[in-house]
Amino acid sequence: MIAKKETKPNSVLDVKGDVFKIHYLMAALVMVKAMSLMFHAVNYHFIAVEGSPEEAWAVLYYIVYLLRGCVLFITIVLIGTGWAFVKHILSDKDKKIFMFIIPLQVLANVAYIITESTEEGNSQYRLWREVFILVDLLCCGAILFPVVWSIRHLQEASQTDGKAAISLQKLKLFRHFYVMIVCYIYFTRIIVYLLKITVPFQYEWLGQFFAELATYVFFVMTGYKFRPASNNPYLQVSQDDEDIEMEEVVTETGWNEGVVRVNQGGKVVSTQDSLANPKPRDNSHDA
């Protein structure tokens, strides 16, 4: 008798159980980004009214901007490494990426703050602007490595692991995330810059507008792709190794264990083989 494997339905997880730590970090990133935009708007308001920025509001904006840049890149790297979605610990290679990106991101933000608070005619303005562009591009290139490693890991897992379907779904998800990062970096670092240097002076605000719009779209799409939902591929309930390896279980009774049968040619045939391949009955003696 053959008993088919009983499939386990995906359990319906409660909302709190669906939320990972990375989701709280993503929510904190959105809040920090909103605060940064608010302080930036207040800073521009004082510039428009009084002709110079209010120092208190400018300091608050720069502090929040520095925090927002670090949290943004940390979140992207954590998602790219597959933390909480593919694996629950960071490897030594992932930790080295953090050791490289976080100081560079702090330096890039400091360079941006110096260039924003320095007159364009100042000799240090050009130097710090070039430092900011170079370091920012290094950080943007470095955050692509964890995503590529995760994609390669999922490709290998989809070929060797028993959970091939789940691995392929995760692979598709991380490929989309990789494309999103590339588009975000390409648009905000290249297209926006070309827009700023080509449009007339009175339309320079378009560069900042499209940069913030691209950031908003990137945040929304990332949040949607990795939203806390029970039907997402990274939240599917994993099955036991026993259930994965055994697609079907063959049960048999013990009455014929160790019993052999001798056919007419003197060949010994086990009872299990004779049951598996029964010999056709000879009807010549039936009268």
Side-chain angles (χ1 to χ4, degrees), residues 241-260:
D241 295 336
E242 228 178 76
D243 295 336
I244 295 172
E245 293 175 358
M246 298 178 62
E247 290 296 332
E248 54 184 23
V249 181
V250 178
T251 60
E252 55 186 34
T253 58
W255 66 269
N256 57 351
E257 184 178 357
V259 179
V260 297

Side-chain angles (χ1 to χ4, degrees), residues 9-21:
N10 292 339
S11 60
V12 180
L13 304 176
D14 57 319
V15 176
K16 187 175 180 180
D18 291 348
V19 180
F20 294 153
K21 293 180 181 179

Side-chain angles (χ1 to χ4, degrees), residues 65-66 103-113 128 131-133 135-136 139:
Y65 180 85
L66 179 65
L104 281 181
Q105 189 56 214
V106 172
L107 178 61
N109 286 301
V110 170
Y112 171 79
I113 292 171
W128 283 106
V131 169
F132 166 70
I133 294 174
V135 175
D136 189 50
C139 292

Side-chain angles (χ1 to χ4, degrees), residues 86 249 263:
V86 177
V249 181
N263 60 7

Side-chain angles (χ1 to χ4, degrees), residues 12 20-21 40 72 74 85-86 88 95 99 103 105 116 120 153 163 171 183 196 208-209 223 225 235 247 260 281:
V12 180
F20 294 153
K21 293 180 181 179
H40 202 183
L72 171 63
I74 289 173
F85 299 133
V86 177
H88 299 285
K95 293 177 182 178
M99 296 286 290
Q105 189 56 214
E116 285 291 309
E120 293 189 14
H153 171 74
K163 310 172 195 175
L171 176 61
C183 293
K196 285 182 179 180
Q208 188 70 24
F209 171 76
K225 290 286 185 181
L235 284 176
E247 290 296 332
V260 297
R281 183 180 176 184

